[in-house]
Amino acid sequence: MTVVTYEGAQFPVADGETVLDALLRAGQVVPYGCRAGVCHSCMMSADDAAPVRQAQAGLSDTQKALNYFLSCQCQPASPLEVKVVNAVGEKKLVEVLEKTALSDTVYRLRLAPGLSYRPGQYVNLSRDAKLSRSYSLASLPTDPWLEFHIRHYPDGAFSSWIANELNAGDTLELQGPLGHCIYAAEANQPLLLLGTGTGLAPLWGIAREALAQGHTAPITLVISGRSLDDCYYREELLALAAAHDNVTVTWVLQEGEAAVQVEVADIYQYCKERFPELNGYKIYLCGAKTFVNKLRKQCFFAGAAVRDISTDVFLQAGSL
Amino acid sequence: MSVYEKIGGDGAVEAAVDIFYRKVLMDDRISDFFDTVDMDRQRAKQKAFLTMAFGGPNNYTGKDMREGHKHLNLTEEHFNAVAENLIATLQELSVPQEYIDEIVGICLSVKDDVLNK
Ligand code: HEM
């Protein structure tokens, strides 16, 4: 017999009983489906990987890396704490270390570190109980800060507060991390990273994380934007590509003139022509909803496996 | 031994699921049913379908199939489209014809439930 901790309470798990059955027996409401380890409806995440390892058959590398497991397959031998996948954690107050304008519309916010996360995950930032938004982490856990890229929408309450009122030394509330758009690939698997706008934030984290972990296969970054003025971190990206033989970066713009590493083209057409065969690739798509959804389908049709496509979708501009 | 075991168990389902899912999304007769934003979740559902069609481990009953598909108002044409894509997937993976026949047999056994007839 052991115990499972769920939403702050402890529940007994009998020998041979699964985590799912123990929670259901105690009257907890948790999602489930086939109870045979196939449909993934009952997927949860655990505080520790060891007790749930035998309940990870059929999960993707990304899911395993985040300690996800199937509660209908898990008969734990030792106590563990579980959460419904992507349950938000506690809120904490963090200090603003730095605020810098990266372009006319994008601000970089660096906050005091002290969060355990994987690059590419996101957090909720809040001004107060009424106003909060999700932003992706652009930093690595080894950086002495948490970095976010925030696009300022003149009509957006939260981003206007960041742009006009928040200063270094102030604090804001942070809740997370969330999401599963993280580096989880074989070192010799080619990576394709496609982003629009501040979709660069998670990609910037993921690309550097891949390099930090010794990724050897090509890492291809494609940034889509209206014009070059839209694209921040140009020098940083060029420096990254210059420093690593396996990294290339291309900007695909709607307007302007083609130049070295800059193409003027429709991004969907560009991807079709440039990447007709994506079997075996690990793909990251970050940015606006239409961009992500269209390219996800396109990449899947070009041969990429569903599990090799990770996405991070941003809310519509109107709601920010 | 079930066909599921004969063709390689979970490994066979893994090999088939993306191929089948791709075909279904490209088939105008039925793509709308499966064209959701959450592709990971949809893929897991497709795996549940294939595992069941191969006679693998599952706890679905005929009643579950009826309840689960009732709201979709499926027709003969939809059923045939799914079956055709499944057969094409299995052929692409060089599954022997006798096993394909067995799998089609399993699908036919739940046809009335799925079509709520
Ligand atoms: C050969 C017969 C079929 C079998 C054995 C079968 C089996 C299944 C199974 C096991 C599930 C997952 C249920 C769950 O959520 O646990 C499912 C869901 C579903 N099936 Fe079928 N199915 C069949 C035919 C069809 C057909 C012909 C269509 C439509 C063209 C269809 C459309 C769906 C849809 C839309 C879902 C729900 C997916 C979701 O929740 O997103 N099925 N089916």
Side-chain angles (χ1 to χ4, degrees):
Chain A
M1 225 205 65
T2 184
V3 289
V4 56
T5 306
Y6 174 66
E7 296 196 329
Q10 294 200 327
F11 301 96
V13 188
D15 290 337
E17 192 177 33
T18 65
V19 169
L20 177 66
D21 287 337
L23 292 174
L24 292 176
R25 182 163 59 84
Q28 296 298 302
V29 179
V30 283
Y32 67 94
C34 71
R35 292 201 195 202
V38 179
C39 78
H40 294 189
S41 302
C42 70
M43 193 158 65
M44 297 185 120
S45 71
D47 57 338
D48 180 17
V52 299
R53 210 159 272 141
Q54 97 286 3
Q56 292 182 315
L59 298 192
S60 67
D61 293 342
T62 306
Q63 290 166 332
K64 287 179 190 163
L66 293 166
N67 292 352
Y68 287 8
F69 70 102
L70 301 174
S71 60
C72 77
Q73 297 298 300
C74 181
Q75 302 174 354
S78 51
L80 79 163
E81 179 162 358
V82 303
K83 280 193 287 202
V84 170
V85 163
N86 255 355
V88 284
E90 277 169 35
K91 280 190 181 172
K92 54 173 153 190
L93 274 181
V94 287
E95 188 189 338
V96 179
L97 301 178
E98 180 207 297
K99 182 178 94 174
T100 311
L102 296 178
S103 73
D104 288 349
T105 50
V106 177
Y107 287 87
R108 177 176 73 195
L109 214 52
R110 284 180 168 166
L111 308 180
L115 177 76
S116 166
Y117 67 96
R118 298 286 308 265
Q121 287 193 290
Y122 66 93
V123 302
N124 296 329
L125 298 179
S126 356
R127 183 189 68 182
D128 50 44
K130 286 202 208 84
L131 191 60
S132 98
R133 296 289 182 265
S134 303
Y135 289 100
S136 298
L137 286 143
S139 46
L140 303 188
T142 46
D143 289 334
W145 49 63
L146 306 174
E147 178 170 317
F148 303 92
H149 301 163
I150 293 168
R151 178 173 293 273
H152 179 207
Y153 297 97
D155 298 332
F158 189 84
S159 64
S160 292
W161 173 66
I162 301 264
N164 303 329
E165 290 176 54
L166 190 74
N167 289 307
D170 294 346
T171 55
L172 44 68
E173 279 182 341
L174 181 150
Q175 197 178 25
L178 294 156
H180 38 247
C181 188
I182 61 168
Y183 175 68
E186 301 297 328
N188 60 2
Q189 187 176 17
L191 304 187
L192 176 59
L193 286 67
L194 299 166
T196 48
T198 50
L200 176 56
L203 298 181
W204 178 240
I206 291 162
R208 290 182 306 137
E209 168 79 355
L211 292 167
Q213 290 198 23
H215 197 85
T216 52
I219 301 177
T220 308
L221 266 150
V222 178
I223 311 297
S224 151
R226 194 168 38 77
S227 68
L228 263 195
D229 297 337
D230 253 10
C231 302
Y232 63 94
Y233 263 23
R234 289 257 301 148
E235 275 163 27
E236 285 82 351
L237 285 162
L238 290 170
L240 191 76
H244 300 275
D245 286 345
N246 58 336
V247 177
T248 54
V249 53
T250 308
W251 285 269
V252 177
L253 307 175
Q254 286 166 31
E255 55 192 55
E257 280 177 30
V260 180
Q261 285 162 293
V262 177
E263 308 240 359
V264 179
D266 173 73
I267 183 70
Y268 307 108
Q269 204 53 40
Y270 173 84
C271 288
K272 253 187 205 140
E273 282 162 21
R274 178 73 182 68
F275 311 107
E277 176 51 62
L278 290 172
N279 190 359
Y281 273 76
K282 174 84 198 178
I283 296 164
Y284 295 90
L285 305 171
C286 303
K289 199 159 145 192
T290 12
F291 172 85
V292 169
N293 288 344
K294 262 179 108 160
L295 282 176
R296 169 159 46 190
K297 224 162 145 180
Q298 203 174 300
C299 292
F300 181 49
F301 287 165
V306 173
R307 298 205 142 174
D308 281 333
I309 308 176
S310 293
T311 62
D312 186 8
V313 179
F314 290 3
L315 294 176
Q316 304 303 50
S319 59
L320 293 163
Chain B
M1 226 204 310
S2 64
V3 209
Y4 176 81
E5 287 164 320
K6 284 187 277 198
I7 62 176
D10 187 62
V13 184
E14 273 296 322
V17 63
D18 274 22
I19 300 175
F20 176 69
Y21 188 6
R22 214 172 267 126
K23 288 192 192 301
V24 157
L25 273 186
M26 287 181 179
D27 187 333
D28 291 339
R29 293 174 293 178
I30 49 175
S31 64
D32 284 352
F33 291 111
F34 304 99
D35 196 357
T36 69
V37 172
D38 193 343
M39 284 180 71
D40 288 324
R41 214 181 95 87
Q42 188 55 238
R43 182 186 188 276
K45 299 265 179 194
Q46 307 264 357
K47 249 194 103 170
F49 161 71
L50 292 173
T51 304
M52 184 177 174
F54 296 175
N58 75 85
N59 296 316
Y60 293 114
T61 61
K63 187 157 168 285
D64 289 339
M65 284 297 106
R66 196 170 282 272
E67 292 298 319
H69 293 91
K70 203 158 67 181
H71 64 289
L72 302 170
N73 293 319
L74 299 176
T75 65
E76 199 86 19
E77 191 197 14
H78 298 135
F79 185 88
N80 291 341
V82 166
E84 282 167 29
N85 286 305
L86 179 58
I87 293 167
T89 302
L90 297 168
Q91 285 170 342
E92 202 171 309
L93 291 168
S94 307
V95 172
Q97 189 59 42
E98 53 172 312
Y99 298 163
I100 296 181
D101 292 343
E102 248 184 275
I103 291 165
V104 170
I106 295 173
C107 290
L108 288 172
S109 74
V110 294
K111 180 174 171 186
D112 284 354
D113 291 319
V114 166
L115 299 185
N116 196 26
K117 287 210 288 211

